[in-house]
Amino acid sequence: MDSREILTTPQISAAVIELIDETEEFCFLVSPYYKPWRQLQRALQRAKTKKRQVTMIYRADQNSHQLDSLLRDQESSQYELILVEKLHAKLYLNERRAIISSMNLYNSSEEQNIEIGYLVSQWNSRVLLQKVIQERLLDDPSAKVYPGWFHTEMERKRAEVIAFFAGLETRGFCVICGKHHGFQRSGSWTSPHIVRCKRCWLADTETPVDEIKSSYCYYCGKPFEGTCSFPLHPHCENLLEEMQPLKWMVSSE
Ligand SMILES: [Zn+2]
Ligand SMILES: [Zn+2]
């Protein structure tokens, strides 16, 4: 055990802020009780501005006054809020590391209590802890979810992503004659002969495809001079670049 991995009270607060700030993908903040101090609120606002997925997990039996203030905070920072019964664990985790700690995200703990934390940077241990969050908290039957901004974003984006790939794989325009063909697919649109209608393909089966000039964009059918091997005009090419990393949404339907 490395002494640098043991955190004292002020170090835990600082490490939690750092954990939120360095988040590139997702961040879980598991704290039965919650009353943020100013730096923490600012970090959450920064995460919202940078569009990071933050999930807060609190204990379910809050009094109505506490719950109101939690919900106000959630609305302002737009994170996902999950209430779980009997929660007593405190754990802060992003895609790089985790902090196991005795400390709640509660301003007086930060100021008055003696707390101890342990910083976990080893990949395997972090993955295991993430699994614990999934199985013991997110999948807990008592878990009550107040969705964050990314739920609506994903819902909105998912329809767009599905429509895009459906268009790319099944619709298509012949890049030689510009006609909308809709013929039966036997492969992906990236197979060069598939971007030509049967008639245009039969007219020239000899020339290597990257030498065949295309006259129309495969995806939108607008006039575009490219080649059969990559017949997307710049706008559609940008769209493909934007959608490609989201393709998993199509298969997770
Ligand atoms: Zn054609
Ligand atoms: Zn296009």
Side-chain angles (χ1 to χ4, degrees), residues 85-139:
E85 279 171 18
K86 298 180 190 164
L87 177 67
H88 196 252
K90 293 98 186 167
L91 174 61
Y92 311 106
L93 176 146
N94 67 14
E95 71 280 351
R96 292 174 58 189
R97 46 193 175 161
I99 302 161
I100 304 171
S101 149
S102 59
M103 194 179 94
N104 282 295
L105 298 180
Y106 206 88
N107 59 3
S108 60
S109 320
E110 201 248 343
E111 285 157 10
Q112 296 161 10
N113 295 350
I114 297 175
E115 308 276 4
I116 293 179
Y118 180 64
L119 183 67
V120 178
S121 309
Q122 298 85 350
W123 187 81
N124 312 2
S125 316
R126 192 208 60 80
V127 170
L128 274 177
L129 285 168
Q130 190 179 335
K131 201 161 168 254
V132 169
I133 291 181
Q134 182 66 50
E135 289 171 1
R136 301 300 301 273
L137 303 176
L138 305 183
D139 295 345

Side-chain angles (χ1 to χ4, degrees), residues 217 220 233 236:
C217 171
C220 69
H233 90 286
C236 294

Side-chain angles (χ1 to χ4, degrees), residues 217-222 231-237:
C217 171
Y218 168 77
Y219 184 68
C220 69
K222 288 189 183 142
L232 292 183
H233 90 286
H235 174 82
C236 294
E237 187 185 340

